[in-house]
Every structure is written in C-alpha cells, then in structure tokens.
Amino acid sequence: MSKLMKFLSKRLRKRGVIWSAEENYISCLNHVINLAVQDFLKAIKGLPSVEDETPPLAEKEDDDNEDDDEEEDSEIDDDEDDKEGDEELLVDLAAVEAEDEYNDVEDDFAGTLKKLRGIAKVCDVANKVTFSTPWNHFCLLQLLWSKLTGRKPIQVQFKRNYSNEHVYSTK
Amino acid sequence: MKPLQLIFDVPTRWNSAYAMCERGVYLRKAIDMYVIQQSYRHLQISPQEWKRVEFILDVLEPFKRCSDRMEGTKRPGIEKVFWIYETLFNELDRLEDVMEESNGRDAEWIKELQPAFEVMRTKLTKYYDKTAIPSVYGDGMILAPRLKLYLTTRLEWSGGQMGEYSGAGYSASCRKRYIEQYEKIAPQSQPMTTIWKRPYSAIDDDDFEQMVSSLPTDATINEYDGYINAPRIIEKGVHLLDIWKTYTGAAYPHLGLMARSVFAVSVTGAGVERQFSKSGKVEIRSRARIDPITTTQIMMYSDMLKRKKRALGMSQVVIGVGDYETEANEEEPPAEWRNDWFRSRKNKRNLM
C-alpha cells in the first residue's frame, strides 16, 4: 500500500472523514500493464542498456518527402566532392564503431533486439534513412547506392530483390 | 506516403518495444536489403531471428491493445478492468500452451521465454489481487447496463461460483452499499425536456391524473433489485453514460447517483500524465516560485490553444507552450496499420 494513500487516510481521519486507504486504492491499469511488459522485457534482457545511447524520440526531423530527397540530390550533385565524402565517412565510422560492439552478440532474444536497435541506430545516425512504400524505398535505396558507390543505380535485378513482399502481403 | 523511420525503444516510453518490433517486422524486407547493401554483416538478422521478433510482437500485442484501450480518458473504463485482467491471463495461458506444444527447431528458443512468462504472470497476479479490496471494480461492472453480472457467469471467471468473489458475492456487497449510502439521498428531479404547446395539466383531465397518483407506489421494491433483474441492454454502440442518463430520469433515480460516483473513478493516470508532458515546461528553474494555481491555468490555457490550433497572439514566442515533447507516433500511420495488418497476418501463421 502506497505511503501517500496511508498519509491521506490519516490526514482525513483527523478531520473526521472515514476514508480507507485500501478500499480506495485504484492502481492505474496502464501502469500495471506496462510493469508486466517491462518485466517481460527485462527477463529476456530486451531492454536497451544505458550504453546504447538511444537518441531521444523527441528529436524528429521535418517531414522528408520525395521533393526533399530530390532537392538533396541536386544539392549533392552541385558540390559532389564535399558531401559525398562526408556521407561516406559518416557511414564508415558508424559501421566500424558498431562492429566491435556486435561481435559478441549472442543468438537469443536480447541479441536480436540489439541488432534491430543497431540497425535503427545506423539508419538514423548515418543517413537518416527512411523506409516506406516499395517504390519510395526503392528510390531511396537506389539513391543511396549511387551516392555511396559513385555508380549509376542498378535497375532491374535490384527491383526483383527489392520487391517488398512483406508490404505487398499486407494488402 | 510518408517515408518511415525505424523506431528506437526507450525504457520509459510505454509500448516502445512493441513499436520497434512492429516497424521492424513491417519493414523487414527493406531492412534486410539495406543491411546487405551496406554490408553490415554484424547487423544481419537471420530468418530465425526475425521469427523471434515476430514472436515477441505476438506476446506484446495483447498488452499493447489493452493499454491502448484504457488510455482514453473521455469515457469511464472501470467496468472493463476485470475483463482486461481476464484477457491478459488468458493470453498468458495461450502463450504457455504455444510454448509447450512447440517442437522442432522453434522449441529451443521459445523455451527461453519460460521464465519471462512467469515473471509477467507474477506481476499481473500481484496487481490483480489488489483489485479484490476496492469495491469500485465490482460496482462498476455491475452498474454497466450491458454487463451486469453476466461476466461472472462465464467459465473463465476466476472468482468461482460461490463466495465473496463470485457474481453473487459482488452483487450482495454492491446492494448493501447502495442501501447504506445512496437509497436515502433524494435525487434531483430532472426537468422534462419536451416543451408542449399548452401545459401538461391543462390538456389532460384531472380525474385521470388523480386516479393515477392515488395508485399505490412500488416503494417496497428496491431499485437495485429492479435493476439487476431487468433484462440486460443488448443494443450496440450506446454509451454507458447515456444509458444512465435516461435511467436516472425514469427508472432508477437513486441508483443513478451511485452510478455517477462509481463511473467517475478513473482507472488510469495516463490522461493526467499526458497532460503534464503535453503542457511542456511550465515549472522551470527560472520560475521556481510559480503558484500552483497559475501552473494549472497555464497548462489549461496552453492545452486550449493547442486544441484550437492557435498560437498566443502576442508574439512569435509562445510562452509556456515552448518545446513540448513530440510523440513518437505522431505521423499518420499507413492505412494497413490502422486496419491491424499484423493481426490479420497472425491468423495465417502456422507458428501460433
């Protein structure tokens, strides 16, 4: 029984109100559910550790729709050398940094969740990669591919690989 | 369509693990593709591991649904509490069945979850036991005109068919409370809403009126008994409080008072907490001596402004509304998410 409720009950009794702390203790159901879920995650060690440095969710960049991407692209085209170099460097750094961390990832739930988190991290830190509908995503990937390798986007065989069955199957 | 970002899970954010897994599974192919392209070998998620993620998603999904169900603050939820606990316990039972029945390669990793399920069950049981003491839960269930005692007649009811926690037990204690606390209060008579061209008494003949009022009253019949024995309301989509509004006008004026105080009890603190996080930084270090009433007013006012989608007209800087936290899922979800794409998939999966 929480201290606050006991205190409140005592205070009220002094004023002549009979108010039972136990009878009136309604715990927040959402919190209960959350506690259970947290326990579950803790048991499978699925909670993010402090070192994971999860960026706050509040940091959300503006909506980047396709127009933005195109703009970005054109910008990059303008001053190719600088931007491309930066981007590549960033990606490499993130990848290298991560690799040490994930060497000893075990084959269990915690490891899987950690990997998922790692991917999110790389996507976020390195490129602000976003995934979306098949077509949009396809474009994005292609863009990225051409940016990173300096090659022209590969057209056909990619598309087959890419075709996001999962997205389609949900319809 | 908006491009989607992957979601991080944050320990302090409810259901963020669920959100992460869901988006991960949703974008599975895209993620795989991306990882291969970038040649992050260490981050590659094997099909086996995707299965795990899906299983976690499956475990967390009912919890997420129940949590969402209770988050609203506009309507009472007290009558749902027992049922929600029941649902969650049933869910745990189902998961344990799945675990026992699993065989082959899946069995190994599903078995890893055994202790986790137990921990979860202990926690839930701990809080479920606490619901035995407050009377509001039972009263709320009984006073919901569409539920009454029918929930307790189901087989899954854990209180048994006899004793304090059976339907009869709850009913008896509710009846007792009604008689003790509410029966003697005089209900406020509600004015008739219909407006007649001529006053009522003028049209009708006085003799009939006299005869009607001379008839004996049913005062001996307890309102509670009358309510409990009346047929359950089966009409769909009627708001609980609306039903009670019509009830209190006509049949159960006293019991209406009880319903009013029972359904005023909020089962969740989420609304209040949301209000605090929405209103942003009101009490900050530079305003340490701010009066509690002023705090309330600022919070209310900034909330109103946000609801009306207006900014304070004074200047560009909005005082007190400042940098409030943006919600993780603020963007509009794709149509298939709203239609529960995951659930429709779940039925097809042979794993479950």
Side-chain angles (χ1 to χ4, degrees):
Chain A
M1 190 58 41
S2 84
K3 261 188 185 168
L4 172 70
M5 301 295 277
K6 274 183 191 163
F7 179 76
L8 201 58
S9 161
K10 220 182 263 175
R11 263 301 174 83
L12 285 170
R13 202 179 303 137
K14 273 183 196 162
R15 300 189 174 202
V17 181
I18 302 160
W19 189 83
S20 150
E22 285 182 347
E23 165 84 18
N24 290 293
Y25 190 36
I26 316 288
S27 39
C28 171
L29 195 62
N30 280 90
H31 279 94
V32 173
I33 293 174
N34 184 49
L35 280 175
V37 170
Q38 295 276 333
D39 273 9
F40 169 77
L41 290 172
K42 234 178 257 168
I44 61 168
K45 299 196 185 64
L47 283 178
S49 57
V50 188
E51 309 98 64
D52 273 352
E53 284 175 36
T54 44
L57 281 170
E59 269 181 37
K60 236 185 87 192
E61 68 267 32
D62 298 331
D63 311 337
D64 31 3
N65 38 34
E66 284 189 48
D67 300 336
D68 284 353
D69 290 335
E70 279 169 21
E71 275 173 31
E72 226 173 74
D73 197 25
S74 61
E75 269 176 37
I76 289 165
D77 284 343
D78 288 344
D79 37 16
E80 254 178 37
D81 300 345
D82 295 4
K83 288 238 168 178
E84 234 176 70
D86 276 3
E87 198 105 329
E88 238 170 296
L89 197 68
L90 253 175
V91 174
D92 282 343
L93 268 179
V96 168
E97 239 177 71
E99 206 144 359
D100 300 333
E101 237 178 88
Y102 294 88
N103 272 339
D104 53 345
V105 164
E106 281 168 43
D107 185 28
D108 60 352
F109 285 97
T112 313
L113 284 177
K114 192 174 177 186
K115 271 188 195 170
L116 204 56
R117 216 170 285 134
I119 293 171
K121 198 170 164 186
V122 169
C123 291
D124 190 57
V125 171
N127 309 311
K128 300 279 175 206
V129 177
T130 49
F131 303 95
S132 171
T133 53
W135 174 241
N136 196 5
H137 173 219
F138 183 52
C139 294
L140 270 172
L141 277 182
Q142 292 255 334
L143 226 140
L144 212 79
W145 173 255
S146 57
K147 257 188 223 167
L148 290 174
T149 55
R151 274 180 237 154
K152 283 198 171 177
I154 304 167
Q155 296 295 332
V156 190
Q157 71 266 44
F158 248 68
K159 203 166 184 177
R160 191 170 54 81
N161 275 354
Y162 168 68
S163 69
N164 197 333
E165 283 166 32
H166 192 80
V167 173
Y168 284 133
S169 71
T170 56
K171 282 177 184 168
Chain B
M1 276 254 209
K2 274 188 175 177
L4 299 170
Q5 260 185 311
L6 295 177
I7 299 176
F8 287 96
D9 57 340
V10 183
T12 45
R13 180 157 184 95
W14 289 348
N15 298 320
S16 61
Y18 176 84
M20 181 176 80
C21 291
E22 190 186 31
R23 191 153 293 186
V25 172
Y26 182 71
L27 297 172
R28 178 179 163 173
K29 286 278 152 59
I31 289 173
D32 280 348
M33 191 69 194
Y34 176 73
V35 168
I36 292 167
Q37 274 201 343
Q38 303 288 321
S39 62
Y40 298 143
R41 292 198 184 285
H42 53 285
L43 288 178
Q44 262 177 37
I45 298 181
S46 62
Q48 191 65 21
E49 284 172 320
W50 276 120
K51 252 186 178 176
R52 283 167 195 257
V53 177
E54 286 193 355
F55 194 79
I56 290 179
L57 200 53
D58 197 49
V59 173
L60 295 183
E61 197 235 20
F63 286 86
K64 149 96 173 147
R65 284 178 72 80
C66 283
S67 167
D68 282 356
R69 197 173 280 140
M70 301 311 296
E71 251 173 44
T73 43
K74 292 258 163 62
R75 50 193 64 190
I78 197 95
E79 80 278 7
K80 291 184 201 150
V81 172
F82 281 140
W83 174 72
I84 281 187
Y85 274 113
E86 192 188 291
T87 322
L88 293 180
F89 279 121
N90 286 347
E91 189 57 33
L92 282 178
D93 288 342
R94 184 186 72 88
L95 287 170
E96 268 163 22
D97 286 348
V98 168
M99 202 170 56
E100 271 167 30
E101 281 163 22
S102 65
N103 46 26
R105 280 172 66 201
D106 291 341
E108 286 170 32
W109 57 267
I110 290 184
K111 287 262 154 50
E112 283 173 31
L113 289 175
Q114 169 86 43
F117 287 148
E118 259 162 38
V119 173
M120 197 140 80
R121 186 182 287 272
T122 338
K123 187 64 105 192
L124 272 185
T125 317
K126 182 184 153 198
Y127 285 98
Y128 179 62
D129 288 346
K130 279 190 184 172
T131 60
I133 307 165
S135 53
V136 207
Y137 294 116
D139 291 358
M141 181 185 65
I142 290 168
L143 289 180
R146 299 186 59 196
L147 278 179
K148 293 192 179 172
L149 287 169
Y150 288 86
L151 202 62
T152 63
T153 54
R154 306 210 315 176
L155 274 178
E156 297 96 340
W157 185 252
S158 60
Q161 298 304 319
M162 295 280 287
E164 200 183 342
Y165 301 121
S166 68
Y170 275 116
S171 178
S173 69
C174 182
R175 185 174 191 271
K176 198 175 139 223
R177 260 189 302 284
Y178 162 67
I179 289 171
E180 276 172 6
Q181 295 171 21
Y182 296 96
E183 201 168 37
K184 284 160 208 147
I185 305 173
Q188 298 155 339
S189 61
Q190 299 213 333
M192 296 295 277
T193 44
T194 332
I195 297 162
W196 301 89
K197 271 187 191 164
R198 279 181 293 163
Y200 175 69
S201 54
I203 354 170
D204 252 306
D205 73 84
D206 284 345
D207 294 344
F208 178 71
E209 187 68 8
Q210 244 177 19
M211 185 275 290
V212 169
S213 40
S214 73
L215 288 174
T217 52
D218 301 340
T220 46
I221 294 179
N222 185 319
E223 264 178 38
Y224 178 81
D225 294 339
Y227 167 77
I228 270 297
N229 293 325
R232 188 174 76 92
I233 288 186
I234 43 174
E235 210 175 327
K236 277 181 197 166
V238 190
H239 198 301
L240 178 77
L241 297 181
D242 283 345
I243 299 176
W244 270 108
K245 256 180 213 161
T246 52
Y247 267 6
T248 44
Y252 314 108
H254 292 90
L255 204 60
L257 292 174
M258 187 171 181
R260 198 169 67 181
S261 48
V262 164
F263 290 125
V265 175
S266 160
V267 271
T268 169
V272 181
E273 284 177 26
R274 197 182 312 130
Q275 204 56 48
F276 268 107
S277 80
K278 249 164 73 183
S279 60
K281 293 167 183 162
V282 178
E283 288 207 47
I284 47 179
R285 197 174 288 181
S286 55
R287 277 195 282 177
R289 288 184 60 190
I290 195 165
D291 191 76
I293 294 166
T294 319
T295 311
T296 321
Q297 282 169 350
I298 290 176
M299 281 172 65
M300 299 282 243
Y301 190 59
S302 64
D303 186 53
M304 187 276 285
L305 286 177
K306 244 174 267 170
R307 267 169 214 268
K308 304 238 160 166
K309 303 209 166 115
R310 276 206 317 237
L312 267 181
M314 299 193 303
S315 64
Q316 291 299 314
V317 186
V318 182
I319 299 164
V321 186
D323 27 6
Y324 58 92
E325 294 164 33
T326 43
E327 305 257 319
N329 302 323
E330 225 170 21
E331 66 210 38
E332 189 70 12
E336 65 254 46
W337 281 36
R338 269 179 270 132
N339 303 336
D340 281 347
W341 64 274
F342 183 72
R343 266 160 64 81
S344 61
R345 249 186 104 236
K346 197 170 93 178
N347 302 334
K348 288 176 206 157
R349 238 183 313 149
N350 49 9
L351 176 71
M352 291 305 113

